[in-house]
Amino acid sequence: MSTISAIAETAPVAKTARWTGRILSGLVIVFLLFDGAIKLVPWPVVTETMDKMGYGSSETLARSLGIITIVCTVLYSVPPTSILGAILLTGYLGGAMASHVRIDSPLFTHTLFGLYLGLMVWGGLWLRDPALRNFIPFRRRLAS
């Protein structure tokens, strides 16, 4: 084992990085829980949006997506299952992006919104989870 990898394994997460990660993750969690919750209620805005996306105004599908969103978000919010939750949310957000591509939504405001959320999901997790930091390290260039 090299000295650099031994240091990386034992290096603690800085307090500022951990709190930044918690805040970033908290924002994502609140947003996705709200998004999932409104899909559980058959409000016209939900069914109209589903119809615009080409899925019809199915209340059953909206509720199913709401349950999936909430379950994945809860998994993400619990530290032992946070990486699994992040993986599942990545897939979910990728599907949302694909749906926006299919209907030719505006690129930066609608289509890439899933990418923005995904970056916040993984960024927040990377900042607060030392195991993930070791798995996906950003290495500094050593001076020659």
Side-chain angles (χ1 to χ4, degrees), residues 3 17 21-22 26-27 35 37 44 54-55 59 61-63 67 70 72 74 86 88 91 97 105 112 133 138 142:
T3 307
R22 286 176 180 165
L27 291 171
D35 182 59
Y55 294 110
E59 292 178 14
L61 179 59
R63 284 189 179 113
I67 290 167
I70 291 170
C72 293
V74 168
L88 294 173
M97 288 176 60
S105 290
L112 292 180
R133 290 180 112 166
F138 287 104
L142 299 175

Side-chain angles (χ1 to χ4, degrees), residues 17-93:
R18 180 167 293 172
W19 275 104
T20 303
R22 286 176 180 165
I23 291 168
L24 201 55
S25 294
L27 291 171
V28 170
I29 290 166
V30 168
F31 175 80
L32 289 174
L33 287 176
F34 175 76
D35 182 59
I38 66 168
K39 288 181 175 124
L40 297 178
V41 181
W43 288 349
V45 69
V46 173
T47 54
E48 289 169 11
T49 303
M50 296 286 290
D51 195 37
K52 286 179 188 174
M53 297 292 289
Y55 294 110
S57 56
S58 170
E59 292 178 14
T60 305
L61 179 59
R63 284 189 179 113
S64 298
L65 290 173
I67 290 167
I68 290 168
T69 305
I70 291 170
V71 168
C72 293
T73 304
V74 168
L75 287 171
Y76 174 70
S77 66
V78 178
T81 59
S82 58
I83 292 177
L84 173 62
I87 292 168
L88 294 173
L89 285 172
T90 302
Y92 181 81
L93 294 170

Side-chain angles (χ1 to χ4, degrees), residues 99-139:
S99 295
H100 281 286
V101 167
R102 189 175 54 78
I103 65 167
D104 201 28
S105 290
L107 179 65
F108 293 106
T109 57
H110 292 68
T111 304
L112 292 180
F113 189 75
L115 175 67
Y116 307 147
L117 274 179
L119 289 172
M120 290 174 66
V121 164
W122 283 103
L125 187 56
W126 189 85
L127 286 169
R128 67 185 167 96
D129 189 337
L132 186 61
R133 290 180 112 166
N134 290 335
F135 185 68
I136 307 173
F138 287 104
R139 299 194 175 140

